[in-house]
Amino acid sequence: MKVMKFGGTSVGSPERIKNVASLVTKSGEQTFVVLSAMSGTTNSLVEISDYLYRKNPESANELINALEKKYVKHVEELFSTEEYKQKTLQFISEEFDYLRSFTKDLFTSYEEKSIVAQGEVLSTNMMVNYMSECGTNATLLSALDFMRTDKNAEPDPHYIKEKLNAILSEEKGRQVYITQGFICRNAYGEVDNLQRGGSDYTASLVGAAIGADEIQIWTDIDGMHNNDPRVVEKTEAVRQLNFEEAAELAYFGAKILHPTCVQPAKYAGIPVRLKNTMDPDAEGTIIDNVIVRGKIKAVAAKDNIIAIKIKSSRMLLATGFLRKVFEIFESYQTPIDMIATSEVGVSMSIDNDDHLNEIVDELKKYGTVTVDTNMCIVCVVGDLDWSNVGFETLATDAMKNIPVRMISYGGSNYNISFLIKESDKKQALQNLSNVLF
């Protein structure tokens, strides 16, 4: 069985929903489908929640009514038989009555998560009804029945595997299984969400739980490109990536994938394929555990980076200095992206400035602190093992005309990173493309 995940733009209109249904049934294979909410729906539900937080039920109801009209119109366009049209309209009516019920009671973060979850509930019900109307043997499995996080808000793979396989054994013989991405229950049984990676994470967890042959992530771009197509001309899709390479690219700016969402597939040894709903015959990008030696694959960039340098003569031969520095960042739950050290100083980069002032104040206890803002991390990803003589030189040669604040190399076998000014990003990415590809 394969897992196919479709994002919000892929199911963003009745025409797109029909297209997805066609893609799912094209091969005739047994398929597990993970769907996001229709594009724009989650934003509307978040806005509705915002009004309810502010005790403004009138404005919340206006948005609920507008969203309901939009879905009723979708139903009219999607279904051709009166039976399924009325069945879906009845469901839509009940869903929006449920949303209106939140305008009458106390509103907390628990209620907000329940409201935001309805986007995926709406899209999956419409999809299963449409596929059933078309004669496909499809069934809807509620993610809330098997997708759960533990007390640390991390997915509980053993629970997911046990529950999901028990449900599948009761629903044997179906051609298509459909479930919601993103949403889950937490360790206390409350409606929650997977946060990082969203529906991609759901697809990866489902694939690992059922031992899928392949997990397909369908978006509106032809796989992961070797550079940022919004900045650099003539980029190309990378046909194969190792899981480690894909995670590096995702972390450092490749928006097509979240770095944590492929981890369950990686550990289960299940390949992940990135495909384009607008061009389904395109090969896309396969992500697996295969390492292609001697090749640089791609470049990515991450904006809004802050560089912090602390210089202190007391650091010389002082044990415990770095521990004290790292504990400050840990106490403010601020992760560090890059780090470089010398005998008398240490430079770090962060991408979260929520506690920047407090962190700087604490660091001043140990030395002289300088801060550079509006920075950017550019990373080069591929087989960058130190034994590959000259590979790092290719990257540094491409950057020879760009002022570089910091370089990180050797922490990973797959990545060399440069910290530069955001204003130099476009030139840096273009230079790297010209030299490396």
Side-chain angles (χ1 to χ4, degrees):
M1 191 187 298
K2 65 182 174 185
V3 175
M4 300 175 76
K5 175 264 172 181
F6 295 92
T9 54
S10 297
V11 291
S13 68
E15 184 182 354
R16 294 274 180 88
I17 289 174
K18 291 177 182 179
N19 183 44
V20 165
S22 174
L23 287 172
V24 170
T25 56
K26 187 177 180 181
S27 67
E29 297 176 44
Q30 199 173 35
T31 308
F32 201 114
V33 178
V34 177
L35 294 183
S36 298
M38 292 179 77
S39 56
T41 299
T42 301
N43 288 342
S44 295
L45 294 172
V46 169
E47 193 175 356
I48 289 164
S49 299
D50 194 42
Y51 278 120
L52 293 175
Y53 267 127
R54 299 174 194 281
K55 297 181 170 56
N56 186 350
E58 293 82 8
S59 295
N61 272 317
E62 278 186 32
L63 284 177
I64 291 169
N65 293 340
L67 192 59
E68 183 176 20
K69 284 180 184 176
K70 181 179 173 183
Y71 271 89
V72 168
K73 187 171 183 291
H74 288 331
V75 170
E76 295 290 344
E77 294 175 17
L78 182 61
F79 296 95
S80 55
T81 66
E82 201 60 31
E83 176 192 353
Y84 280 96
K85 191 177 289 185
Q86 290 306 316
K87 180 180 180 181
T88 311
L89 285 172
Q90 177 65 29
F91 164 75
I92 296 289
S93 176
E94 291 169 0
E95 265 295 290
F96 282 92
D97 283 344
Y98 175 66
L99 291 178
R100 289 185 191 94
S101 71
F102 289 98
T103 65
K104 301 164 189 172
D105 300 314
L106 179 69
F107 196 78
T108 67
S109 60
Y110 170 73
E111 281 78 23
E112 180 185 14
K113 286 176 179 175
S114 295
I115 283 181
V116 173
Q118 300 316 304
E120 281 75 14
V121 173
L122 285 161
S123 64
T124 48
N125 272 274
M126 288 175 66
M127 179 62 79
V128 76
N129 285 350
Y130 175 72
M131 295 190 82
S132 298
E133 183 186 59
C134 294
T136 303
N137 185 4
T139 188
L140 178 61
L141 309 180
S142 173
L144 300 179
D145 290 340
F146 63 85
M147 193 61 63
R148 190 177 79 169
T149 55
D150 58 24
K151 291 182 180 179
N152 297 315
E154 295 294 335
D156 185 340
H158 299 295
Y159 179 93
I160 294 166
K161 183 174 183 178
E162 181 183 332
K163 286 290 183 182
L164 181 53
N165 283 293
I167 292 168
L168 288 174
S169 67
E170 295 174 5
E171 294 281 355
K172 278 182 181 175
R174 300 282 193 171
Q175 183 186 348
V176 178
Y177 301 92
I178 299 173
T179 197
Q180 301 88 13
F182 182 58
I183 67 175
C184 64
R185 291 193 186 277
N186 60 25
Y188 310 100
E190 300 165 335
V191 176
D192 210 326
N193 58 66
L194 294 173
Q195 299 172 10
R196 303 182 303 273
S199 297
D200 292 350
Y201 210 178
T202 302
S204 190
L205 288 163
V206 166
I210 66 174
D213 300 317
E214 184 174 276
I215 299 163
Q216 296 181 354
I217 308 292
W218 290 77
T219 64
D220 54 1
I221 188 170
D222 179 22
M224 200 174 281
H225 279 228
N226 61 4
N227 211 323
D228 190 338
R230 297 165 300 182
V231 179
V232 176
E233 295 179 0
K234 298 179 181 177
T235 64
E236 295 179 354
V238 182
R239 294 308 172 201
Q240 186 274 343
L241 288 168
N242 176 267
F243 278 114
E244 298 287 350
E245 294 169 338
E248 295 275 12
L249 286 170
Y251 183 76
F252 285 107
K255 302 295 185 188
I256 192 172
L257 202 65
H258 192 281
T260 60
C261 75
V262 293
Q263 293 301 320
K266 172 190 170 184
Y267 297 137
I270 299 169
V272 175
R273 191 180 296 274
L274 308 179
K275 297 279 284 179
N276 184 1
T277 50
M278 311 303 171
D279 187 9
D281 294 327
E283 188 180 341
T285 300
I286 188 81
I287 303 170
D288 53 28
N289 282 315
V290 176
I291 298 173
V292 177
R293 294 294 181 190
K295 189 172 182 181
I296 292 176
K297 299 287 186 65
V299 178
K302 189 177 186 182
D303 295 329
N304 303 314
I305 302 296
I306 300 148
I308 303 171
K309 179 165 72 174
I310 174 170
K311 187 173 67 172
S312 171
S313 57
R314 287 181 291 164
M315 180 180 172
L316 186 65
L317 302 178
T319 58
F321 180 85
L322 284 177
R323 175 180 57 79
K324 291 172 185 174
V325 169
F326 291 148
E327 281 177 348
I328 292 170
F329 287 90
E330 182 182 2
S331 67
Y332 290 103
Q333 296 188 319
T334 302
I336 295 169
D337 288 318
M338 291 174 65
I339 183 167
T341 64
S342 73
E343 286 298 330
V344 293
V346 56
S347 284
M348 296 148 292
S349 73
I350 60 173
D351 64 0
N352 182 348
D353 65 357
D354 288 350
H355 300 286
L356 179 60
N357 293 334
E358 296 97 315
I359 289 170
V360 169
D361 286 343
E362 295 262 8
L363 289 173
K364 284 179 178 177
K365 296 175 184 175
Y366 303 108
T368 305
V369 180
T370 55
V371 177
D372 295 309
T373 56
N374 300 318
M375 305 297 283
C376 167
I377 295 175
V378 173
C379 78
V380 177
V381 168
D383 180 23
L384 285 158
D385 189 278
W386 68 279
S387 61
N388 292 332
V389 178
F391 272 42
E392 71 282 0
T393 307
L394 280 174
T396 52
D397 276 354
M399 301 289 287
K400 64 185 177 184
N401 297 321
I402 306 290
V404 177
R405 166 72 175 76
M406 189 159 63
I407 297 175
S408 176
Y409 175 63
S412 159
N413 289 336
Y414 306 97
N415 172 19
I416 179 170
S417 296
F418 303 89
L419 184 66
I420 62 173
K421 293 178 182 176
E422 275 186 18
S423 56
D424 291 323
K425 178 176 96 168
K426 183 174 181 178
Q427 188 61 55
L429 292 179
Q430 191 65 62
N431 288 0
L432 285 163
S433 263
N434 294 343
V435 171
L436 299 177
F437 310 126

